[in-house]
Amino acid sequence: MEKIMKFTLKVGVATCWIFFNNLQAITYHPSTANLPSSTQTHKIAISQSHISGGNTFTITTPGNYYLSRNLAFTPDATSDIVLNITTDNVFLDLGSQVISSDKSLSGTVAINIASNLSNVHIFNGIIKGMTGAGIKVNSGCRNIHLANLQITDCDEGGISLTSSDHLYVTNCVVNKCNGSTSTSNATALRATSCKHLYATDSEFSINTGTSKPGIGALLSGCVGLSFKNCISSHNTGTEAYGFQLTSSCKDCHFENCHTSGLTSTAGIASGFDLAAATTNRFVNCQAHNNTAVGNICCGFSVGSASTMNL
């Protein structure tokens, strides 16, 4: 049975509630990813020596790859990349290791998936301290699996997905993105013009924007998305959102998704923001304890261009 959603609103310091039960934080535990089996038996180790001196390790051959130890990256140019995947059919096991950057130059990306690739699987590890995105999926990709990952403290967002199809985000915690670059909001998950994104058992929280919005998941121009058992909490900025759907997102499904503790310092605080979204469905989704200083706070906000959100 679907929940009947109710909220109260106070203006000034605005606080809102929606009928809410049993919100629990997701705790990150690296484990074996539930991914399609690889036919590759030989595994190729990636070590610190491969990225010394700001070198990028580029994966050009299909196969199984793994980290043999933590990777600490010092970029030698802006928009540098730690690991660059340029071929189909790659299984990259981070092995519960950490990929980090010293933040000395802007735009550093931990793992870049080049355009028009398919069957790329990244799982079991931690990415932190990038000045660019943690994982960037470029246009035209298909069948990309991200599982059992913690991505934290990345300036331009934890996961960035563009114009791709059949994307899977499973058991991931993406948090503490700060949007410190001039072009980016503080956004954990950003999907632009994507189709069939399936996010399950994941958390997009504690993203703090200075003079810009703080957002858990920003979905723009996307079609046919599914979020199940996901949390977006304690995002803070000039505006604050748990899940924000813009540019005519449609046919998106949210089930058992929760937002909590959003704080806006200048604009709206909204758990689920449907600025221009159509024919989307919400089942047992709840928003709780969001605050907007001197502005509007709501659990669900529906713009004038939105239609048939159920």
Side-chain angles (χ1 to χ4, degrees):
M1 181 180 295
E2 298 181 15
K3 298 283 187 182
I4 298 175
M5 295 169 290
K6 301 178 180 179
F7 70 90
T8 62
L9 173 67
K10 297 179 181 179
V11 178
V13 176
T15 304
C16 65
W17 293 264
I18 286 184
F19 187 79
F20 178 84
N21 285 312
N22 299 323
L23 176 63
Q24 297 179 347
I26 296 174
T27 302
Y28 168 74
H29 297 290
S31 60
T32 301
N34 181 20
L35 297 172
S37 298
S38 170
T39 58
Q40 304 288 335
T41 57
H42 178 64
K43 292 187 176 182
I44 301 166
I46 303 172
S47 66
Q48 182 68 35
S49 63
H50 289 113
I51 62 165
S52 63
N55 290 322
T56 295
F57 183 84
T58 301
I59 297 175
T60 59
T61 304
N64 279 3
Y65 296 79
Y66 72 97
L67 300 192
S68 60
R69 56 165 293 178
N70 294 339
L71 301 182
F73 188 68
T74 301
D76 63 0
T78 58
S79 302
D80 226 340
I81 298 169
V82 185
L83 304 178
N84 191 25
I85 300 173
T86 62
T87 185
D88 301 330
N89 302 313
V90 169
F91 285 71
L92 175 57
D93 183 358
L94 302 187
S96 300
Q97 307 292 340
V98 179
I99 302 175
S100 63
S101 170
D102 66 2
K103 286 200 167 187
S104 58
L105 292 171
S106 63
T108 302
V109 174
I111 302 175
N112 181 72
I113 301 175
S115 298
N116 303 315
L117 299 184
S118 61
N119 302 321
V120 175
H121 314 278
I122 302 168
F123 48 97
N124 294 347
I126 299 170
I127 295 169
K128 68 177 184 180
M130 298 296 134
T131 51
I135 296 177
K136 184 175 182 180
V137 179
N138 291 279
S139 62
C141 289
R142 182 179 176 84
N143 196 27
I144 308 298
H145 292 246
L146 309 176
N148 302 328
L149 300 170
Q150 183 182 22
I151 304 173
T152 187
D153 188 27
C154 294
D155 294 352
E156 293 183 11
I159 299 173
S160 176
L161 311 168
T162 302
S163 300
S164 293
D165 194 354
H166 283 83
L167 307 157
Y168 303 86
V169 178
T170 305
N171 192 32
C172 292
V173 175
V174 189
N175 60 20
K176 299 182 181 179
C177 299
N178 57 48
S180 60
T181 61
S182 59
T183 58
S184 299
N185 299 326
T187 304
L189 170 67
R190 183 191 310 271
T192 303
S193 302
C194 292
K195 297 179 180 180
H196 307 113
L197 164 62
Y198 302 98
T200 57
D201 301 311
S202 294
E203 182 173 359
F204 315 103
S205 297
I206 324 175
N207 303 290
T208 302
T210 301
S211 302
K212 58 186 62 180
I215 306 170
L218 175 58
L219 313 171
S220 179
C222 295
V223 178
L225 313 188
S226 175
F227 283 74
K228 292 186 178 181
N229 305 323
C230 291
I231 293 173
S232 183
S233 66
H234 298 92
N235 302 315
T236 301
T238 53
E239 298 175 349
Y241 302 96
F243 300 89
Q244 185 180 25
L245 284 67
T246 69
S247 301
S248 300
C249 284
K250 64 180 180 179
D251 300 331
C252 302
H253 180 87
F254 292 81
E255 184 174 347
N256 298 326
C257 292
H258 304 151
T259 69
S260 175
L262 309 176
T263 301
S264 167
T265 59
I268 187 173
S270 177
F272 297 84
D273 183 72
L274 314 174
T278 61
T279 59
N280 301 290
R281 184 170 177 80
F282 299 85
V283 179
N284 193 31
C285 293
Q286 307 160 1
H288 172 69
N289 199 29
N290 303 322
T291 300
V293 178
N295 215 290
I296 298 172
C297 170
C298 48
F300 287 70
S301 57
V302 181
S304 60
S306 297
T307 60
M308 294 181 66
N309 292 289
L310 304 175

